[in-house]
Every structure is written in structure tokens, then in C-alpha cells.
Amino acid sequence: MHIILVGPPGAGKGTQAAKLVEEFEVPHIATGDIFRSAIKNKTPLGKKAKQFIDQGKLVPDEVTIGIVRERLAEDDCQKGFILDGFPRTIAQADALQDILADLDIELDAVLNIKVSEEEVVRRLSGRRVCECGASYHIEFNPPEEDNACDGCGAELYQREDDQPETIKERVAVYKEQTSPLISYYQDLNLLKEIEGEAGFEEVFNNIKQALC
Ligand code: ADP
Ligand code: ADP
Ligand code: ZN
């Protein structure tokens, strides 16, 4: 199963990707996670990406495309992947078509998780994350113990780019640079619209229905 998740920041891509990965046993490739790990490890990529991420801007295409090209060439992607947060521009989508053609991989579906702007702001402002990759919401999906990860017990934190000003910028960037992908994939007959403003399980059911 080769699937792309698009949708605004905070739509629930990461949350649903975790469920899909379990269901289909394929790797979860999230460019945001790759950048955050590079930043944490202070690699050259991390240094480059940080300045853009902190401002809520996109990391330049030439950096991002190279990272994805390398990752998709690894063996585990042949049987499938859940691509989360890439592509985010038309140039990235064009590059992805070339990468997939080179690898002889065909996309099965592009899922657009639809959520209103008000809900995006609610979800992002209440998001708390763990360094193990788990993600919570203070209201909609709180951890069992205050501010501690259910899985590994580590202290949860708020992403720096989940502050109000940066959220605003990310939403604007989404509208301007990423939302054109919806008609791009519609034209390729790959787009599936997913109603994302529902409970966690209900959204997952919507996705499963769209995939059969
Ligand atoms: P979100 O919760 O907004 O979906 P992500 O974790 O996917 O966040 O991305 C966090 C940040 O990483 C983005 O705001 C952007 O700066 C950078 N980023 C992630 N994916 C891409 C991409 N495909 N192209 C450019 N920048 C990206
Ligand atoms: P994205 O990867 O698209 O940025 P996340 O999966 O990180 O989004 O979800 C953003 C926030 O919204 C998280 O705090 C998450 O717990 C919460 N969330 C995700 N899906 C739902 C849902 N269906 N209902 C309520 N909150 C949700
Ligand atoms: Zn954890």
C-alpha cells in the first residue's frame, strides 16, 4: 500500500498514519519527523531546516526532495509506505512522480484529511508530543498521567511551532503552497476526500472505507 497523507497542519495526519502503519505494516515516512530528529542531533540538515521550521515556513524544496528521494530508495518502501507531510508543494509533487517512476512504484491513493481552520487551531494549540514520537491532545486525547507519555513515561512538551503566531503562518503557507495539491491529485485520479472532523476511530474508519 503506497499512500500519501495531505491535509492542513494539525489535521491528524500523524495520528492516522500511526494507525495505518499498524494495519498495513509499512514504514511511516514523515518529513517533519525527519527534520526534527536532524535538529535534535544537530546535523547539517538540522541546522538548515531549523530556521525555516521555527518561522513556520517550508524547508526549501531542493533540501526536502533530496531527503525523500534517499528514503524512498530504501528496500522497505517497495512493499509500501505512508508518506506524511510530503509533498507540500507542486514542485515536490512533480519530483515525487519522477522518484516513483524511477523506483517502479505506483501510488494507491492520496488521502486529503479535511478539517476546518478553527479545528486546526484547536488541535495544534492543544497538541503535546513525546520524543518517542507519540502525540497527545490536552483535551481530546490526554495522557493517563498528567504530562507524561503513556508509552515511555517521558515528559510531554509543546512543539515550538505550535505557538499561536507560528500556527497562523503555517496555516497561511498551507493555503498558498500546499492546497493546490488537492486538484493536482484529483487530476491524477488518486484523491480521496476524508472527513477529518470526527473522533479518532471514526476518521480511521472513513480512511479504511476510502481505501477499499
Ligand atoms: P504539521 O503538524 O504542520 O503537519 P510537520 O511535522 O509535518 O507538521 O512539519 C513541521 C515543519 O517541518 C513544517 O512546518 C515545515 O517547516 C517542515 N516540513 C515538513 N515537511 C515538509 C515538506 N514536505 N516541505 C517543506 N517543509 C516541510
Ligand atoms: P498532523 O500530523 O496533521 O499535524 P496530528 O496527528 O499531530 O496532526 O494531530 C494534531 C493534534 O490533534 C494532536 O494533538 C492530536 O492528538 C489531535 N487529533 C488528531 N486527530 C484528532 C481527532 N480525530 N479528534 C480530535 N483531536 C485529534
Ligand atoms: Zn513517549
Side-chain angles (χ1 to χ4, degrees), residues 8-15 123 127 135-137 140-141 196 198-200 203:
K13 300 182 297 295
T15 302
R123 288 190 184 179
R127 174 160 65 186
S135 141
Y136 299 84
H137 191 283
F140 307 137
N141 180 30
F200 291 75
V203 176

Side-chain angles (χ1 to χ4, degrees), residues 16-211:
Q16 296 300 326
K19 295 176 183 288
L20 285 164
V21 160
E22 235 173 74
E23 177 101 359
F24 294 115
E25 298 181 341
V26 291
H28 174 201
I29 302 170
T31 37
D33 289 347
I34 295 174
F35 291 140
R36 277 184 293 276
S37 142
I39 291 171
K40 194 173 149 216
N41 295 319
K42 299 197 162 66
T43 68
L45 169 67
K47 281 187 194 132
K48 234 182 280 174
K50 185 173 173 11
Q51 50 187 317
F52 298 98
I53 293 178
D54 283 352
Q55 293 177 53
K57 309 250 188 252
L58 294 182
V59 178
D61 286 338
E62 57 274 22
V63 176
T64 309
I65 290 166
I67 301 295
V68 173
R69 183 183 292 279
E70 272 180 29
R71 179 64 188 89
L72 294 187
E74 286 174 38
D75 284 349
D76 60 341
C77 292
Q78 266 302 331
K79 63 168 185 175
F81 54 63
I82 309 295
L83 203 44
D84 162 6
F86 182 95
R88 262 178 155 98
T89 63
I90 296 285
Q92 290 180 13
D94 283 338
L96 180 62
Q97 291 297 99
D98 291 341
I99 294 170
L100 295 177
D102 288 346
L103 295 169
D104 212 8
I105 290 174
E106 269 191 51
L107 286 175
D108 293 287
V110 177
L111 308 175
N112 179 34
I113 305 185
K114 289 194 303 180
V115 168
S116 68
E117 199 170 323
E118 299 79 68
E119 181 68 8
V120 158
V121 173
R122 266 194 294 274
R123 288 190 184 179
L124 290 178
S125 349
R127 174 160 65 186
R128 297 292 181 274
V129 297
C130 176
E131 48 180 26
C132 79
S135 141
Y136 299 84
H137 191 283
I138 47 173
E139 194 181 332
F140 307 137
N141 180 30
E144 275 167 32
E145 257 180 70
D146 235 13
N147 232 30
C149 178
D150 293 346
C152 73
E155 193 182 347
L156 304 181
Y157 62 95
Q158 185 167 27
R159 268 168 52 176
E160 260 177 65
D161 60 345
D162 281 345
Q163 302 293 337
E165 274 312 300
T166 326
I167 290 176
K168 228 195 237 165
E169 177 63 21
R170 283 157 66 207
V171 170
V173 164
Y174 168 79
K175 282 191 197 158
E176 196 185 306
Q177 302 191 57
T178 307
S179 67
L181 293 179
I182 296 170
S183 57
Y184 181 100
Y185 285 115
Q186 214 154 24
D187 292 348
L188 291 174
N189 251 328
L190 286 167
L191 193 78
K192 311 264 189 205
E193 297 279 18
I194 306 297
E195 175 51 59
E197 222 163 302
F200 291 75
E201 285 310 318
E202 205 176 328
V203 176
F204 190 51
N205 280 332
N206 294 343
I207 290 177
K208 282 198 286 193
Q209 255 167 28
L211 291 177

